Amino acid sequence: FKLTTVEEMEAATEKLLETGKKVGADGWQYRVKNQTPHCKFGETGICCKICSMGPCRITPKAPKGICGCDAHGIVARNYLKFTAGGSATHSDHGREICNTLYHAKPEGPYKVKDPEKLIRIAKEWGVETEGKDIYDLAHEVAILGLSEYGKVFGHQNFLKRAPQHTQEIWEREEIAPRAIDREVSCSLHMTHMGCSSKPEALIRQSLRSGLSDGWGGSMAGTEFSDVLFGTPKPVDTEANLGVMNKDNVNIVVHGHDPSLSEMICEYADDPEMIAYAKSKGAKGITVSGVCCTSNEVAMRRGIPMAGNFLQQENVVLTGACEAIVVDVQCIFPALGPLSKCFHTKFVTTSPIAQMPDSEFIRFHADTAAENAKAIVKMAIDNFENRNPDLVYIPDMKQKATVGYSVEAIVKTLDGVTNSQVDETGTTKPLIECITSGVIRGAVAMVGCNNPKIRPDYAHIELMKKLIANDIIVVASGCSAQAAAKAGLMDKEAKNLCGAGLKRVCELADIPPVLHMGSCVDISRMMILVSELAKDSGLNISQLPVVGCAPEWMSEKAVSIGNYVVATGIDTFLGVDPYVSGSDQVSKLLTEGLRDWVEAAYTVEKDIEKLVDLMIERIEEKRTAIGI
Ligand code: NFS
């Protein structure tokens, strides 16, 4: 067993860029060069263009904007707007899933695959379940889910899943989220010209808007995706560009909403379609994924992961991609012109994400089956247009076991339970391992790639050091894909762990880095820490657990950071969220928040230091609870 190194991945990318040069293709590597150095005002968050008197920029000579707002107000407003963008995006994804659930029918294409989970949520929400048809129940719960977005009174239903202490903090600090859409609107209202300019107020709303994502929209996205498509359980798959197959029709799904990718996978597996592909000279059909939609179908179907965020152009550069089919979020507009340099069809499907140089096939829950069939057929028909001289698929892939939902983790733990002592169906065996010191703690590794950080390097190096120090890693999003590409989700990676974690991996038959899903699935991590807190009798903030996004780039990531911190988990960032222009805001985020929610941010661009700080924090937390 050998990990794939970042150097090897970079060499493969270099070779692909060579192919790109032959056909005049662009790449993010070139665009970064044209965009740097970045504007200092933007980078430090002190550029304001929320009204047309500006844009105003803060300098020593001009310490205030035309309205009189200072750097602190401008930075905090920008931060809240950034958060609201992310919260809106995740939450709208969740809304789409509720909508898909509303369209579920016994005759398909969308069915209820996990009725047990649906019933559990219905009961939690006080819906009568006895004697009800499961599809009637699905529609009733879907409407309730949709109502969470505009609920007139009260707070998000899912907040009740948090430990009592956490709920009390949210109440006390007035950050318990109300209607999801209301928190986004309220944020945009607060940042309008002439509203809030007080950092405390703006950052407080950033937490509330973040919480409406993590404990509202994202959680709805996760839970109802599980109801529709099944709650993930451990499944074997593969990762990295080598999962594409040069003899097959390659369809790459990219984006976030599993409603589309699930259907594509369904029809690409249809014997009729496979026969059609063979009639066109291919040996079969390979579906692989990029970004979070890839995580969704990997977790539920074992569909291989071609790559993460900064690898999206690479799949086209292989010259062997018949279609890259996208839904929403994290899709480079660059894919349009890039696909034109090859035979690749760039298929957009959502009114939310429309791009030039793409073929738009509008995907709708009612017509999902026909839409998916048409897309798969289009890809097959495109196989013969491939230019064999341009085909190069790097021979690079790793095995990975993925699918660790909270339910799957608890079930796995039952397997290692000493049934004489421990109850089953709880996180107690994990708590045992942590208190005894066999495992020192856990880190949630999440987030994107960012050209500001050598892509994947931070994810992989941090994880290697953490597991070597007996710290178990749970991962999601592009961080999870970085781990899988490197081989850290292969069970054999146990050999890179410290003795304690290695033993746990052997006993539980798990890899040391557990794939918990897409970014909306960070809501799963919130449930997991809540269960750990309840089962151990500790507060979330006392657990030796931290969060980390070393290469983050999107608005969604900031929204996530806010709800993770607001849930009581210290969060470590490798990229600054455009706040360095205000010492007040920086101090609030890295220190002040601790007085409100018992956790705060640490921003550290030096990767070595970042991991050491996390280990230090975990050890501090252990000492504080006397373990
Ligand atoms: Ni998350 Fe997923 Fe990746 Fe970043 Fe984008 S795919 S939702 S935002 S880039 S981790």
Side-chain angles (χ1 to χ4, degrees):
F1 169 75
K2 191 184 151 291
L3 288 183
T4 303
T5 64
V6 171
E7 287 76 13
E8 286 167 327
M9 295 187 215
E10 286 167 346
T13 300
E14 275 311 312
K15 247 186 120 175
L16 290 168
L17 290 173
E18 287 301 316
T19 313
K21 271 188 200 143
K22 283 188 214 156
V23 292
D26 195 10
W28 64 261
Q29 292 84 350
Y30 312 121
R31 296 190 297 272
V32 164
K33 285 194 189 124
N34 297 340
Q35 283 295 341
T36 39
H38 296 288
C39 164
K40 281 284 167 241
F41 296 104
E43 200 161 48
T44 54
I46 50 171
C47 171
C48 184
K49 51 185 196 60
I50 61 171
C51 83
S52 77
M53 295 193 291
C56 292
R57 299 172 305 177
I58 301 302
T59 64
K61 220 181 86 215
K64 291 196 170 157
I66 294 169
C67 69
C69 192
D70 61 13
H72 312 298
I74 292 175
V75 167
R77 274 197 311 227
N78 286 338
Y79 184 84
L80 176 54
K81 260 173 139 29
F82 211 90
T83 304
S87 178
T89 304
H90 271 150
S91 300
D92 210 34
H93 166 161
R95 175 178 2 232
E96 281 301 316
I97 300 293
C98 291
N99 187 48
T100 306
L101 183 64
Y102 183 73
H103 283 84
K105 298 189 214 52
E107 63 277 14
Y110 295 110
K111 299 198 176 74
V112 171
K113 282 210 186 141
D114 190 344
E116 210 180 290
K117 187 158 201 167
L118 174 63
I119 292 170
R120 196 159 18 110
I121 299 168
K123 285 190 174 149
E124 198 183 316
W125 285 6
V127 177
E128 183 54 58
T129 57
E130 270 324 300
K132 237 179 231 167
D133 174 78
I134 200 74
Y135 283 87
D136 288 341
L137 187 63
H139 301 154
E140 196 175 335
V141 171
I143 290 175
L144 276 181
L146 289 165
S147 310
E148 287 294 281
Y149 286 81
K151 78 193 300 178
V152 187
F153 301 113
H155 298 123
Q156 286 300 297
N157 281 348
F158 282 133
L159 301 188
K160 297 211 177 65
R161 293 177 162 190
Q164 198 54 39
H165 177 74
T166 311
Q167 293 186 47
E168 280 163 17
I169 292 177
W170 293 340
E171 286 284 334
R172 184 190 73 210
E173 298 301 327
E174 290 186 48
I175 55 171
R178 303 156 295 178
I180 300 167
D181 288 348
R182 178 173 181 181
E183 298 310 351
V184 174
S185 293
C186 177
S187 301
L188 295 181
H189 187 176
M190 285 178 79
T191 58
H192 189 274
M193 190 275 144
C195 286
S196 290
S197 49
K198 193 172 166 186
E200 287 78 8
L202 291 156
I203 300 302
R204 204 178 279 278
Q205 177 60 18
S206 303
L207 297 184
R208 183 155 62 173
S209 185
L211 285 168
S212 77
D213 165 358
W215 290 85
S218 275
M219 204 168 276
T222 296
E223 294 293 80
F224 297 127
S225 292
D226 284 357
V227 169
L228 282 163
F229 309 119
T231 302
K233 1 184 209 308
V235 58
D236 290 335
T237 184
E238 291 175 326
N240 222 337
L241 285 172
V243 304
M244 294 174 73
N245 185 328
K246 82 169 179 6
D247 299 323
N248 287 359
V249 171
N250 285 296
I251 303 176
V252 177
V253 289
H254 176 14
H256 287 78
D257 184 341
S259 307
L260 168 76
S261 46
E262 278 283 334
M263 287 302 121
I264 300 286
C265 293
E266 196 73 40
Y267 288 98
D269 218 18
D270 183 6
E272 215 176 284
M273 285 294 177
I274 296 171
Y276 185 58
K278 287 186 176 156
S279 79
K280 295 279 172 183
K283 287 198 177 143
I285 305 173
T286 297
V287 180
S288 60
V290 173
C291 282
C292 281
T293 215
S294 171
N295 290 319
E296 299 274 357
V297 286
M299 293 267 285
R300 298 198 178 88
R301 292 173 174 261
I303 295 290
M305 300 176 269
N308 48 359
F309 181 61
L310 283 182
Q311 196 147 293
Q312 57 184 290
E313 289 170 296
N314 288 10
V315 301
V316 178
L317 287 167
T318 61
C321 174
E322 273 58 57
I324 180 160
V325 188
V326 306
D327 48 82
V328 289
Q329 306 165 27
C330 302
I331 302 146
F332 273 0
L335 292 178
L338 178 63
S339 63
K340 295 273 173 270
C341 299
F342 293 86
H343 73 302
T344 307
K345 299 269 185 202
F346 176 42
V347 185
T348 48
T349 60
S350 166
I352 303 280
Q354 305 182 52
M355 295 187 200
D357 295 318
S358 69
E359 310 212 14
F360 186 59
I361 297 185
R362 189 170 179 157
F363 198 80
H364 191 272
D366 279 334
T367 52
E370 295 103 88
N371 298 151
K373 261 193 220 163
I375 292 169
V376 173
K377 185 167 178 296
M378 179 197 266
I380 297 171
D381 286 332
N382 197 25
F383 183 72
E384 61 192 15
N385 297 326
R386 203 192 264 187
N387 177 352
D389 296 340
L390 295 178
V391 174
Y392 165 67
I393 301 175
D395 178 22
M396 191 174 271
K397 60 179 175 186
Q398 287 279 4
K399 282 195 271 184
T401 305
V402 302
Y404 292 96
S405 56
V406 176
E407 291 84 342
I409 291 175
V410 169
K411 193 142 181 256
T412 305
L413 290 171
D414 281 350
V416 290
T417 300
N418 175 352
S419 54
Q420 245 63 45
V421 193
D422 304 320
E423 302 162 43
T424 55
T426 71
T427 61
K428 283 185 181 160
L430 181 56
I431 294 166
E432 250 313 302
C433 293
I434 295 175
T435 14
S436 65
V438 177
I439 294 179
R440 306 301 296 174
V443 174
M445 292 286 298
V446 306
C448 332
N449 300 126
N450 185 325
K452 286 183 180 163
I453 310 276
R454 188 175 171 191
D456 292 339
Y457 184 77
H459 290 300
I460 295 168
E461 290 307 308
L462 292 185
M463 290 189 217
K464 275 162 55 183
K465 183 144 183 189
L466 292 170
I467 63 173
N469 281 280
D470 288 324
I471 293 166
I472 193 165
V473 173
V474 292
S476 69
C478 291
S479 183
Q481 291 175 319
K485 287 196 297 177
L488 289 163
M489 287 177 173
D490 186 326
K491 287 177 186 167
E492 287 307 307
K494 67 179 183 210
N495 295 316
L496 306 169
C497 300
L501 180 56
K502 183 175 175 186
R503 204 159 77 236
V504 172
C505 289
E506 277 166 353
L507 278 173
D509 192 30
I510 52 169
V513 179
L514 298 178
H515 195 316
M516 287 191 79
S518 62
C519 290
V520 293
D521 291 339
I522 295 171
S523 64
R524 297 189 199 276
M525 297 178 182
M526 298 302 100
I527 303 297
L528 183 60
V529 286
S530 296
E531 292 308 305
L532 282 168
K534 289 179 200 163
D535 287 344
S536 66
L538 295 165
N539 296 331
I540 291 178
S541 61
Q542 292 176 296
L543 299 169
V545 165
V546 302
C548 178
E551 305 183 17
W552 75 273
M553 62 85 205
S554 71
E555 290 173 312
K556 291 179 287 177
V558 171
S559 178
I560 293 169
N562 287 336
Y563 74 70
V564 173
V565 168
T567 302
I569 303 166
D570 283 322
T571 298
F572 293 73
L573 304 178
V575 179
D576 175 71
Y578 297 145
V579 296
S580 63
S582 161
D583 54 349
Q584 284 182 21
V585 174
S586 302
K587 206 155 169 235
L588 195 54
L589 293 175
T590 56
E591 293 172 28
L593 290 188
R594 201 170 293 284
D595 297 334
W596 300 353
V597 292
E598 302 177 348
Y601 284 104
T602 299
V603 182
E604 177 53 67
K605 294 181 198 160
D606 180 330
I607 295 310
E608 273 302 311
K609 282 193 197 144
L610 187 68
V611 64
D612 289 341
L613 286 170
M614 286 198 280
I615 297 174
E616 219 170 87
R617 187 67 49 85
I618 284 173
E619 292 301 330
E620 273 168 24
K621 288 194 184 263
R622 294 187 63 93
T623 312
I625 53 170
I627 56 170

